[in-house]
């Protein structure tokens, strides 16, 4: 059986097109190219690099700022870094600190998924962004108990007031509401 000329012509054209594509790409083969030193500073898989998350106010609300750390940072140290304000890079991102100037030292006690922050000013007088900065920074620090930051309970305490417990819901602090036991239907 003979192949029609039009089919034969298409096969030849297709073969020529493929040969031209494979040969004529214009890239000449090269040898090994030295690209510099290998990557360094990477951590072993499964071991995240320690860092500290500080929460500052930005143009669109509360935003985290990650800073490198040499070891896990607890809530008190993280809050003290927060109180120093944003660094130059964070300021260039439009981040600011809205916490009032505090007349004394802030301390924090962390235990099994909870943090108590002791303030030198009335906890009730802090505005919502300030509370959110403190709660989210404390919850995202290294807290004993293995809870995720969203499950860490943070309470702000001053000489005459207590606010909380609260949780950091992304970029805002919210009151923690314990679920009530469900009623058992009769039956």
């Amino acid at each position: 059986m003979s192949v029609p000329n039009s089919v034969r012509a298409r096969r030849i054209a297709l073969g020529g097109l493929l040969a031209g594509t494979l040969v004529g790409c214009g890239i000449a083969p090269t040898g090994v190219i030295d690209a510099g030193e290998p990557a360094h500073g990477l951590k072993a898989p499964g071991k995240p690099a320690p860092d500290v998350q500080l929460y500052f106010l930005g143009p669109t609300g509360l935003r985290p700022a990650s800073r490198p750390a040499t070891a896990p940072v607890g809530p008190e140290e993280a809050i003290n870094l927060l109180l120093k304000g944003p660094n130059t890079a964070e300021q260039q991102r439009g981040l600011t600190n809205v916490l009032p100037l505090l007349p004394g030292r802030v301390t924090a006690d962390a235990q099994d998924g909870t943090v108590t922050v002791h303030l030198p000013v009335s906890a009730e007088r802090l505005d919502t962004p300030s509370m959110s900065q403190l709660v989210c920074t404390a919850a995202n620090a290294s807290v004993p108990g293995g809870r995720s930051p969203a499950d860490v309970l943070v309470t702000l305490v001053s000489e005459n007031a207590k606010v909380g417990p609260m949780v950091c819901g992304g970029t805002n602090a919210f009151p923690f509401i314990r679920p009530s036991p469900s009623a058992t239907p009769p039956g």
Side-chain angles (χ1 to χ4, degrees):
M1 174 178 232
S2 72
V3 178
N5 286 341
S6 64
V7 173
R8 187 177 306 143
R10 279 192 229 151
R11 286 183 183 167
I12 291 171
L14 181 61
L17 180 64
L18 286 173
T21 302
L22 295 174
V23 176
C25 67
I27 299 175
T30 62
V32 175
I33 298 173
D34 186 17
E37 294 181 35
H40 62 282
L42 300 175
K43 301 297 179 200
K47 295 185 178 183
D51 63 354
V52 60
Q53 294 283 336
L54 308 177
Y55 282 78
F56 295 106
L57 194 65
T60 59
L62 207 62
R63 295 288 168 251
S66 184
R67 291 187 188 173
T70 57
V73 175
E76 184 172 328
E77 185 180 353
I79 289 171
N80 286 326
L81 288 170
L82 174 72
L83 293 172
K84 291 179 181 177
N87 62 27
T88 303
E90 294 157 351
Q91 289 173 0
Q92 290 174 347
R93 287 177 42 207
L95 301 180
T96 60
N97 190 352
V98 295
L99 285 162
L101 186 59
L102 301 176
R105 187 168 174 246
V106 176
T107 61
D109 301 319
Q111 316 172 3
D112 197 29
T114 65
V115 179
T116 303
V117 179
H118 301 276
L119 300 168
V121 296
S122 176
E124 291 178 330
R125 296 190 59 115
L126 292 176
D127 61 12
T128 301
S130 297
M131 281 190 212
S132 293
Q133 277 191 269
L134 289 168
V135 170
C136 290
T137 296
N140 280 275
S142 180
V143 177
R147 291 187 187 178
S148 73
D151 295 327
V152 172
L153 303 178
V154 180
T155 303
L156 304 178
V157 178
S158 59
E159 189 174 302
N160 58 356
K162 175 182 170 186
V163 178
M166 294 182 283
V167 293
C168 179
T171 56
N172 284 304
F174 297 99
F176 174 71
I177 301 171
R178 296 189 195 286
S180 62
S182 61
T184 307

